[in-house]
Amino acid sequence: MTKLTYPFTDLPEPGCTLEVADGVRWLRMPLPMALNHINLYLLEDDDGWWIVDTGIKWGEVKTLWLEIIRNELKDKPIKAVLITHNHPDHIGQAGWLCSEFKVPLYITVGEYYTARAFSTVTADHLDWTSRRYYLSVGFDDAYFDNMKSNFQGYGAVVEPMPNAFRRLEEGMLLTIAGREWRVVIGRGHSPEHACLYCEELQLLLSGDQVIPKITSNVSVMPVEPEANPLADWLASLEKLKSIPDSTLICPAHNTPFRGLHARLNYLIEHHQDHLLALEEACVDAKTALQLLPVLFKRKLDASQMMMAMGECVAHLNYLVSEQKLRIEDRAGVYYYLSIDPTLEQRARPGTHHRDDAPMQI
């Protein structure tokens, strides 16, 4: 299997950019979590700049943007803001940038309306449906009540959303500085994640759809407890194999790299391994909470627990949909049990573990 290669040894300094290809500049913004940065990109057009993702509403991010706009744009204006998906580290400053510079927002319809919906959520929205979800995975009422009392919400880290947008769709072509950038939609990590591929430059702005050293979170959330995002995620990874392996991948985290197909194969095998591990662990019926150590060998702190649980349920829902597991509802608590009777002979407890904590995005 081809190894990944990393052509850039330097990182962009705060408030500065690095050129990764003709007309494509890379910058980084800080994040208030263990995953302490996000990569953002600028695309130079004949009459201005496209911003691809914006950073979170937090700390010095806005100040750093003003430094970049003042010093890095060759006296050209901002022309548009393009968002890969709705997560706060990607969309957090979009409202401010679009309002401040009176430029349009480009985003898929699924990501736009998801962001609009999340931005209105308060603790009062965590009602009986949310409680039922958390009880079903194995938490108790006290855990839910504590989580609700400490709820801050999406709006705390995202500027107010623009009231209008321009829709990105699969296969859509954007012409920037005479080059065509094709929209490639991925699903699973978020509803309708937009990547941008330029064949002429052999470059993919991959957002969170492909990252070289960490795995993107694929979660089920209380708003759609029976969702199957892992099926969408695996299908999206397979689709991305149509992009040439030599392509420079510019991800939202870590650093730009080459070796796309090797990374896609690893990610697919990674999830397949976890699916088998969960199936084997359910020879005896277990709750999602009891199954977390099967996927995460590290101790999870409070900030990681919800994403880890969402990812565990995503794998369990996938296995249920594939008729590999069945659910026993015991007074509102779901216990998962393997359907294959031969698993007991070949189960290998403890051999399947992911090496990284759940991605915090």
Side-chain angles (χ1 to χ4, degrees), residues 145-164:
D145 291 338
N146 180 66
M147 182 192 67
K148 184 172 180 177
S149 67
N150 290 297
F151 180 82
Q152 291 188 347
Y154 186 87
V157 287
V158 172
E159 295 283 356
M161 286 286 295
N163 292 319

Side-chain angles (χ1 to χ4, degrees), residues 219-279:
S219 278
V220 167
M221 295 185 292
V223 69
E224 192 182 2
E226 296 183 5
N228 189 3
L230 186 56
D232 293 333
W233 177 252
L234 293 173
S236 295
L237 295 180
E238 290 288 354
K239 184 177 79 169
L240 284 168
K241 290 181 181 179
S242 65
I243 292 174
D245 190 44
S246 58
T247 300
L248 176 66
I249 309 302
C250 293
H253 305 280
N254 305 141
T255 59
F257 72 98
R258 286 191 172 89
L260 173 62
H261 293 185
R263 185 58 180 164
L264 293 172
N265 287 332
Y266 170 84
L267 291 171
I268 292 167
E269 292 168 5
H270 167 89
H271 287 291
Q272 290 173 339
D273 193 50
H274 291 171
L275 291 166
L276 178 58
L278 287 169
E279 190 182 358

Side-chain angles (χ1 to χ4, degrees), residues 54-324:
T54 69
I56 200 168
K57 177 189 171 185
W58 173 77
E60 61 179 349
V61 172
K62 189 177 292 187
T63 299
L64 291 171
W65 263 122
L66 291 173
E67 287 184 25
I68 287 168
I69 291 165
R70 183 171 58 249
N71 300 322
E72 299 280 322
L73 302 190
K74 306 177 186 177
D75 295 324
K76 287 184 177 182
I78 294 172
K79 180 177 180 177
V81 173
L82 188 149
I83 297 299
T84 59
H85 63 295
N86 74 81
H87 294 165
D89 51 334
H90 297 259
I91 203 171
Q93 294 289 354
W96 167 68
L97 286 164
C98 290
S99 176
E100 182 74 13
F101 299 100
K102 303 297 185 290
V103 296
L105 174 72
Y106 286 75
I107 189 171
T108 62
V109 64
E111 300 296 335
Y112 179 78
Y113 283 109
T114 299
R116 288 294 295 265
F118 283 169
S119 65
T120 66
V121 173
T122 67
D124 291 337
H125 289 90
L126 302 181
D127 61 2
W128 66 270
T129 61
S130 301
R131 184 182 296 274
R132 175 176 289 179
Y133 170 81
Y134 286 110
L135 293 178
S136 75
V137 301
F139 291 122
D140 58 20
D141 281 314
Y143 184 93
F144 176 79
D145 291 338
N146 180 66
M147 182 192 67
K148 184 172 180 177
S149 67
N150 290 297
F151 180 82
Q152 291 188 347
Y154 186 87
V157 287
V158 172
E159 295 283 356
M161 286 286 295
N163 292 319
F165 72 103
R166 297 183 183 180
R167 184 181 300 196
L168 298 176
E169 296 181 295
E170 175 70 40
M172 178 178 178
L173 296 176
L174 300 173
T175 301
I176 302 174
R179 297 188 180 98
E180 289 188 341
W181 291 81
R182 175 165 59 89
V183 177
V184 181
I185 301 297
R187 304 177 192 274
H189 175 65
S190 67
E192 199 178 3
H193 182 300
C195 303
L196 286 182
Y197 173 59
C198 180
E199 183 176 8
E200 181 178 337
L201 292 175
Q202 293 193 358
L203 188 147
L204 177 73
L205 299 180
S206 64
D208 284 345
Q209 205 68 33
V210 189
I211 300 172
K213 296 181 180 179
I214 50 180
T215 55
S216 302
N217 183 259
V218 179
S219 278
V220 167
M221 295 185 292
V223 69
E224 192 182 2
E226 296 183 5
N228 189 3
L230 186 56
D232 293 333
W233 177 252
L234 293 173
S236 295
L237 295 180
E238 290 288 354
K239 184 177 79 169
L240 284 168
K241 290 181 181 179
S242 65
I243 292 174
D245 190 44
S246 58
T247 300
L248 176 66
I249 309 302
C250 293
H253 305 280
N254 305 141
T255 59
F257 72 98
R258 286 191 172 89
L260 173 62
H261 293 185
R263 185 58 180 164
L264 293 172
N265 287 332
Y266 170 84
L267 291 171
I268 292 167
E269 292 168 5
H270 167 89
H271 287 291
Q272 290 173 339
D273 193 50
H274 291 171
L275 291 166
L276 178 58
L278 287 169
E279 190 182 358
E280 292 174 345
C282 291
V283 170
D284 300 313
K286 293 181 178 66
T287 66
L289 184 60
Q290 292 170 334
L291 289 164
L292 283 181
V294 176
L295 298 187
F296 305 100
K297 63 183 178 181
R298 301 179 186 179
K299 182 176 176 60
L300 299 169
D301 61 32
S303 68
Q304 297 169 333
M305 181 60 74
M306 286 301 93
M307 298 189 80
M309 178 57 74
E311 184 146 332
C312 186
V313 175
H315 284 73
L316 294 170
N317 283 4
Y318 181 92
L319 287 166
V320 171
S321 74
E322 294 292 308
Q323 300 184 327
K324 298 296 182 69

